Amino acid sequence: MIAYIGRRLIQSALILLGVSIITFALLYLLPADPVRQIAGRSATPQTVENIRQQLGLDQPFFVQYWRYLTNLLTGDLGRSYIQRSEVSELIVSRLPASLLLMLGAIFCELAIGLTMGLVAATKRGSATDQTLMLTSFVGVSAPQFVVGLLLLYVFAVRLGWFPIGGYGTWKHLVLPSLTLGVLGAGWYARMMRSSMIDVLRQDYIRTARAKGLRRGTILVRHALPNAILPVVAMIGIDIGIFMGGIVVVESVFGWPGIGQLAWQAIQRVDIPIIMGVTLVSACAIVLGNLLADIVAPFIDPRIKLR
Amino acid sequence: MSAAGQTTASTKPAAEASAPVLEAIGLTISVRGEEGEREVVSDLSFSLARGETLCIAGESGSGKSMTSLAIMGLLPQPAAHLSKGSIRFGNLDLSNLPESQMRRIRGDRIAMIFQEPMTSLNPVLSIGRQIMEAIEVHTPMSRREARRRAIDALKSVRIPDAERRLDNYPHELSGGMRQRVMIAMALALKPDILIADEPTTALDVTVQGEVLELLRDLQRETGTSLILITHDMGVVAEMADRVIIMRNGRMVEEGKAVDIFASPQTDYTRELLAAVPRMRVGAEARQAPEDPQASAGVPAPVATVRGLQVRFDLHGGFFGRVDRRVHAVESVSFSIARDETLSLVGESGCGKSTTAKAIAGLVPYSGDIAIDGRSLHGLSAAERNAVRRDVQMIFQDPYASLDPRMRVGDLVAEPLLIHRIGSREERRNQVASLFERVGLSADQMDRYPHEFSGGQRQRICIARALALKPKLIIADESVSALDVSVQARVLKLLKDLQREFGVAYLFISHDMAVVENISDRVAVMYLGQIVEMGTRDQVFSNPRHPYTRRLIEAVPVPDPKLRRTHFARLDREIPSAVRQVGDPPPLLHLHDAGGGHLVAQ
């Protein structure tokens, strides 16, 4: 187990190195010039050139990357071009909000998706099943900004149950989490349904019935742990999808997380922030997957970590 | 209901011995399908006495499993339902009992074990948990008490080291062990009736012997009545007091086991008994006609295998290095002549299928394989494939080995197409003649696999294997999934084709009776090595190696008069073929016990 985690962490470090090279290269090739953004429209060519030298952006690609990498290894993510503050501080101050939003979204996904899938599977072919599957289809296909605006309109503007935006109480968390979670909930509902239908057909469910167990016991103790396995593996992948969604959802709800930070940085070609947010996201995805893999053997003893 | 149940249970000894525990009257089960409702069991009536073993025997589709599920109230919903008749259990009618009451009877008063021990236990729960919940759901008790009862249950099915086993998960146990756990679970509450649906079909023959004996012993101790559902007439003869023979949902014959085997009253029962492959016993074996080619000198071998070795690496440790190896096949040598059938027998995991796969080029191996005198050693991939055209395979599962989206004619023509033989028209004609040769008609060529029965599909597989006119056909458990009557016909077809085309067979089977029926020579494998090899008569009439003897002894004889009273138990499981790197298994040396009869020392 420990050897496995050690090996996976080494692999993760290599993945992050790859991500850093690719992102750095893409940003380097970008036609937008960060120096122009910093200097402003009225700056003289001399000023522009000075800033470029100051930031080291006149150096060749490999020199720039090497400097970034060596700084990175000491924990230095660089300074923001525009805000003039440490990128690491910016990210650290905004990360908790984003993590909270993500946890909320995962909770929504699982609570809504798994329940829908479970109910649909046990009532397979009924009107309930069809309604739930249609709902999940809508959830999967609706764009996030539409879902967000719709939820805002209904629950914040018309009903006034939740605040329109901002950050602070659990009430602020509900709508953004729902918006971010709806897509995953749709997927999970469908996965859970098919996985559950498959499990309910298995011989061991028949054995459990032959023992005289109650229906509820059979579902919760015998079917659920078997059906949930593919979903657990998905959660790891989901974190990646969240990272994309967070940029949209945080903008819609004015949520002060790294999604908003990234959005502002992209608009201003603030390369150090974009790099930092990308690396942190990549970290989250890699760790999320590792976590999903570590959890799996606790649900299914047949899975061995090697 | 629980109170009523308790009363019946407590009056158990007082009840008259002749009163039936269970009585089915006019049982009719219908299944809703695409073409409307269809009866799968019609007007079935029988009774079960206390302590009695009733066997319900029949081929697939006879309705025997449906009957058992109906008794348990476990018919697959919503498709199947009990449309007529009643099931009397004491003073209850199970056919219209509400689910909440039925649930209290299941597991407590009527218990059931199923065919597939590998899939009948929940993989994510420890076996202790699974046994304990079966006990706790009917008799409320403390965790500790339940655990003690579970240990007792495991001990009663003779699982060694029961206390420690409780925390094992199903995947850590062998098939035989898992079936014992199922039995322990079913008998933990001492039910009035145990229904066993093909309990040993998926098990190796020696394990089957042990499990059957265990069932018999436990039945004697607890006085449980047993309904045994099986297709195997050998098992029927071994176990039954009374027998019901079923066919297409109807009872064909009913009677005492001794009577049914001695003087069957209906044609179907006679056919069924005649189709059962029997092992010749003692002197009778001698009277079998000698094979004509046995005396015709030694023909040139079609396939020669020398020092075949197949190992699979297992990875572990921090860097995922190879730390253990599965020694699937170790130093196996044999040859097969034209017109000859060599059978590889042994229990699951002994390496017989891996040997076949190596010859067919489906797994990497070391050692030398020569087909029709041409060694595969040092040939390029293309050359090897050309040589391997002479080797074709027929697999076990006729349902899984035919692509459901292709017409069967195209499936049979595919080998010809791959090797670019003949024009479209020629191929079609050849396939038509192959179809007729295996007992199908040419106008069935445009149908899809699902339109055929299991036996017909296996014929299609045989036709496909014959398409390239191979010199060697490897039949890997090719008749194991078939009903006995179908099996007998397919075996006859294989023999006829051999006579006609002179093809050699490498026949792989766990079924000793079938092997005895079809083989010229037999090789017995154990843990990846051959322990005994010789002609059929040498191996079956004069088995020298203890393992061979045990295998032969374990086969149930389809005659209740020859019923065994005791079957020697194996105290330990067959050891594992997984070994540490650098610790290869000791190689066995075969010595000639006379007349080419090779036995490991």
Side-chain angles (χ1 to χ4, degrees):
Chain A
M1 181 79 164
I2 290 165
Y4 172 83
I5 296 173
R7 200 147 35 84
R8 280 289 299 266
L9 284 176
I10 293 172
Q11 283 172 3
S12 305
L14 291 175
I15 292 171
L16 290 178
L17 183 71
V19 169
S20 75
I21 295 176
I22 292 168
T23 322
F24 205 87
L26 285 175
L27 291 172
Y28 182 80
L29 295 172
L30 211 66
D33 185 357
V35 182
R36 274 260 162 240
Q37 292 280 336
I38 300 163
R41 230 174 259 181
S42 53
T44 61
Q46 187 54 45
T47 324
V48 170
E49 215 36 55
N50 283 343
I51 297 175
R52 196 182 300 281
Q53 264 180 17
Q54 217 181 340
L55 294 174
L57 293 176
D58 56 337
Q59 303 283 321
F61 172 74
F62 284 107
V63 177
Q64 283 189 38
Y65 178 70
W66 183 247
R67 205 179 53 200
Y68 184 80
L69 189 67
T70 42
N71 285 339
L72 185 65
L73 291 178
T74 61
D76 180 7
L77 285 167
R79 291 179 85 86
S80 160
Y81 293 160
I82 317 283
Q83 303 192 28
R84 287 278 150 203
S85 48
E86 288 287 331
V87 171
S88 49
E89 280 169 19
L90 280 172
I91 289 178
V92 165
S93 68
R94 281 164 172 261
L95 199 57
S98 286
L99 286 178
L100 185 67
L101 178 57
M102 241 198 271
L103 284 178
I106 290 179
F107 175 79
C108 286
E109 274 188 342
L110 293 178
I112 299 173
L114 298 190
T115 314
M116 277 170 68
L118 196 71
V119 172
T122 50
K123 300 199 185 295
R124 193 184 172 195
S126 67
T128 317
D129 177 21
Q130 283 168 6
T131 315
L132 285 173
M133 282 306 104
L134 192 72
T135 316
S136 79
F137 190 71
V138 173
V140 169
S141 36
Q144 261 164 344
F145 68 92
V146 175
V147 175
L149 291 177
L150 211 69
L151 288 175
L152 265 181
Y153 179 70
V154 176
F155 293 102
V157 177
R158 302 297 300 217
L159 297 171
W161 291 356
F162 300 106
I164 291 177
Y167 176 69
T169 66
W170 67 269
K171 276 195 170 181
H172 288 98
L173 183 62
V174 176
L175 291 183
S177 307
L178 260 174
T179 311
L180 196 54
V182 156
L183 174 74
W187 279 121
Y188 285 164
R190 301 191 145 243
M191 272 178 73
M192 189 63 187
R193 178 179 179 270
S194 66
S195 170
M196 197 70 185
I197 285 173
D198 189 46
V199 167
L200 287 176
R201 264 199 295 254
Q202 297 297 315
D203 289 347
Y204 52 79
I205 297 297
R206 191 182 50 186
T207 308
R209 293 187 65 200
K211 281 184 207 172
L213 295 183
R214 270 171 240 278
R215 196 176 151 76
T217 315
I218 295 176
L219 278 180
V220 173
R221 195 186 292 164
H222 286 263
L224 200 60
N226 282 291
I228 211 166
L229 266 175
V231 178
V232 170
M234 267 296 283
I235 296 178
I237 299 167
D238 245 7
I239 294 175
I241 300 171
F242 279 155
M243 282 299 169
I246 264 181
V247 175
V248 177
V249 174
E250 289 187 351
S251 303
V252 172
F253 290 92
W255 190 266
I258 59 170
Q260 255 196 17
L261 183 69
W263 178 235
Q264 290 160 4
I266 291 166
Q267 285 172 322
R268 298 178 198 162
V269 205
D270 199 341
I271 290 176
I273 295 188
I274 301 177
M275 276 300 293
V277 171
T278 311
L279 284 178
V280 168
S281 309
C283 243
I285 294 168
V286 166
L287 290 179
N289 274 305
L290 178 59
L291 202 66
D293 288 347
I294 292 173
V295 168
F298 289 99
I299 300 174
D300 187 346
R302 286 170 298 179
I303 298 173
K304 287 256 168 9
L305 296 180
R306 282 200 232 285
Chain B
M1 144 61 226
S2 168
Q6 295 300 324
T7 334
T8 336
S10 58
T11 54
K12 213 188 276 183
E16 348 167 15
S18 59
V21 188
L22 185 92
E23 209 171 356
I25 304 152
L27 206 63
T28 302
I29 301 167
S30 307
V31 171
R32 265 188 291 275
E34 279 165 18
E35 308 97 41
E37 216 166 78
R38 192 168 53 88
E39 283 186 8
V40 290
V41 174
S42 312
D43 196 25
L44 177 69
S45 299
F46 63 88
S47 69
L48 177 72
R50 197 166 297 286
E52 180 188 41
T53 300
L54 173 69
C55 277
I56 303 181
E59 299 189 302
S60 42
S62 62
K64 51 193 197 306
S65 286
M66 279 293 184
T67 306
S68 64
L69 291 175
I71 296 171
M72 289 294 283
L74 289 178
L75 284 173
Q77 299 290 345
H81 66 110
L82 231 163
S83 50
K84 263 189 267 167
S86 61
I87 303 167
R88 315 264 342 152
F89 175 63
N91 46 16
L92 296 169
D93 183 358
L94 301 185
S95 61
N96 54 22
L97 212 59
E99 170 66 19
S100 60
Q101 291 188 31
M102 194 63 221
R103 191 174 59 69
R104 289 193 208 124
I105 291 182
R106 277 187 215 127
D108 186 23
R109 312 281 310 282
I110 308 179
M112 186 160 180
I113 53 178
F114 301 95
Q115 172 168 0
E116 280 296 338
M118 306 312 268
T119 53
S120 291
L121 289 167
N122 194 330
V124 307
L125 298 176
S126 71
I127 60 166
R129 181 89 192 272
Q130 295 188 56
I131 298 173
M132 279 153 68
E133 72 173 2
I135 299 170
E136 284 167 332
V137 69
H138 296 291
T139 355
M141 62 177 73
S142 68
R143 237 327 122 81
R144 173 179 290 185
E145 174 65 10
R147 194 178 162 85
R148 198 187 55 73
R149 291 275 294 267
I151 293 171
D152 288 348
L154 279 187
K155 277 183 184 155
S156 75
V157 294
R158 300 169 196 149
I159 288 185
D161 207 0
E163 215 148 323
R164 203 174 49 83
R165 287 287 186 195
L166 229 43
D167 299 322
N168 280 167
Y169 286 92
H171 72 275
E172 295 167 309
L173 306 177
S174 66
M177 280 293 181
R178 290 190 211 187
Q179 198 61 305
R180 283 176 204 214
V181 171
M182 284 294 290
I183 295 173
M185 210 150 74
L187 291 180
L189 292 170
K190 303 207 175 7
D192 300 304
I193 302 172
L194 174 65
I195 303 174
D197 187 356
E198 303 270 9
T200 56
T201 307
L203 302 177
D204 278 324
V205 63
T206 56
V207 183
Q208 163 172 301
E210 287 167 23
V211 168
L212 290 179
E213 200 201 350
L214 177 69
L215 276 175
R216 234 171 8 210
D217 288 356
L218 293 174
Q219 191 187 10
R220 209 174 300 136
E221 288 161 23
T222 56
T224 299
S225 307
L226 178 64
I227 298 180
L228 185 67
I229 314 274
T230 182
H231 72 284
D232 185 334
M233 295 309 279
V235 171
V236 173
E238 180 99 12
M239 300 291 287
D241 296 321
R242 271 188 322 125
V243 184
I244 291 175
I245 308 278
M246 285 186 71
R247 186 192 195 187
N248 297 333
R250 293 184 178 276
M251 185 196 289
V252 177
E253 192 166 350
E254 185 200 3
K256 286 198 174 121
V258 187
D259 298 340
I260 294 242
F261 279 88
S263 54
Q265 298 299 309
T266 62
D267 287 342
Y268 179 68
T269 312
R270 271 190 285 274
E271 275 169 39
L272 196 63
L273 287 171
V276 175
R278 283 158 203 266
M279 301 220 303
R280 295 163 300 172
V281 189
E284 288 168 47
R286 298 273 147 259
Q287 293 159 6
E290 273 294 304
D291 288 309
Q293 60 269 42
S295 47
V298 186
V302 166
T304 320
V305 173
R306 288 275 159 265
L308 183 70
Q309 199 179 64
V310 183
R311 292 172 176 180
F312 303 104
D313 292 340
L314 297 178
H315 298 267
F318 190 81
F319 294 105
R321 277 176 310 198
V322 177
D323 58 352
R324 288 161 308 148
R325 280 201 181 101
V326 184
H327 294 259
V329 178
E330 279 294 320
S331 173
V332 161
S333 304
F334 57 81
S335 66
I336 310 170
R338 194 183 135 77
D339 261 353
E340 188 185 46
T341 302
L342 171 70
S343 289
L344 284 182
V345 297
E347 298 184 293
S348 26
C350 73
K352 53 190 194 304
S353 283
T354 311
T355 306
K357 282 184 191 151
I359 297 172
L362 301 177
V363 290
Y365 61 89
S366 62
D368 191 27
I369 294 173
I371 308 293
D372 205 22
R374 288 167 295 174
S375 169
L376 292 177
H377 194 76
L379 294 187
S380 71
E383 289 167 319
R384 269 203 302 274
N385 281 343
V387 174
R388 284 226 169 86
R389 228 170 85 174
D390 285 336
V391 181
Q392 294 296 318
M393 269 188 107
I394 308 169
F395 297 96
Q396 170 167 9
D397 189 345
Y399 290 84
S401 51
L402 294 172
D403 185 338
R405 289 163 197 274
M406 281 175 77
R407 294 172 199 277
V408 290
D410 296 337
L411 282 166
V412 174
E414 203 176 22
L416 297 169
L417 195 66
I418 291 170
H419 291 279
R420 295 198 190 85
I421 296 169
S423 67
R424 201 181 160 74
E425 200 49 39
E426 284 167 346
R427 282 200 296 266
R428 198 160 168 87
N429 289 337
Q430 200 185 334
V431 170
S433 73
L434 281 169
F435 261 66
E436 265 150 31
R437 190 57 210 88
V438 298
L440 299 165
S441 76
D443 49 323
Q444 291 173 312
M445 277 165 57
D446 291 326
R447 297 198 191 165
Y448 287 93
H450 71 267
E451 297 173 63
F452 295 88
S453 69
Q456 285 175 322
R457 288 186 208 201
Q458 206 56 303
R459 284 169 194 268
I460 295 167
C461 293
I462 293 172
R464 176 168 64 180
L466 282 173
L468 289 171
K469 300 195 175 65
K471 299 207 165 60
L472 173 68
I473 288 183
I474 301 173
D476 189 356
E477 299 278 8
S478 300
V479 298
S480 307
L482 305 177
D483 280 325
V484 276
S485 58
V486 182
Q487 188 180 59
R489 287 197 288 273
V490 171
L491 284 174
K492 185 171 179 305
L493 173 67
L494 285 173
K495 280 189 205 164
D496 291 348
L497 293 172
Q498 183 168 58
R499 216 167 297 132
E500 193 176 323
F501 296 103
V503 62
Y505 292 129
L506 178 62
F507 194 87
I508 291 164
S509 180
H510 70 283
D511 187 332
M512 297 299 277
V514 169
V515 164
E516 216 245 0
N517 189 296
I518 195 168
S519 315
D520 298 311
R521 284 194 305 133
V522 179
V524 182
M525 284 187 77
Y526 177 77
L527 269 182
Q529 301 192 44
I530 290 178
V531 295
E532 183 160 359
M533 178 156 64
T535 65
R536 172 180 57 182
D537 289 344
Q538 284 170 342
V539 172
F540 279 90
S541 308
N542 185 19
R544 292 296 189 87
H545 196 273
Y547 181 70
T548 314
R549 279 196 209 127
R550 199 181 146 72
L551 266 185
I552 293 174
E553 202 184 280
V555 180
V557 184
D559 183 351
K561 282 181 234 154
L562 298 173
R563 189 177 286 185
R564 290 166 297 186
T565 48
H566 179 71
F567 181 75
R569 280 209 310 277
L570 200 64
D571 289 331
R572 58 192 177 91
E573 301 247 292
I574 291 176
S576 165
V578 180
R579 303 179 75 97
Q580 295 295 321
V581 166
D583 174 32
L587 291 185
L588 300 172
H589 294 285
L590 297 171
H591 76 103
D592 196 334
H597 186 181
L598 302 176
V599 185
Q601 279 160 326

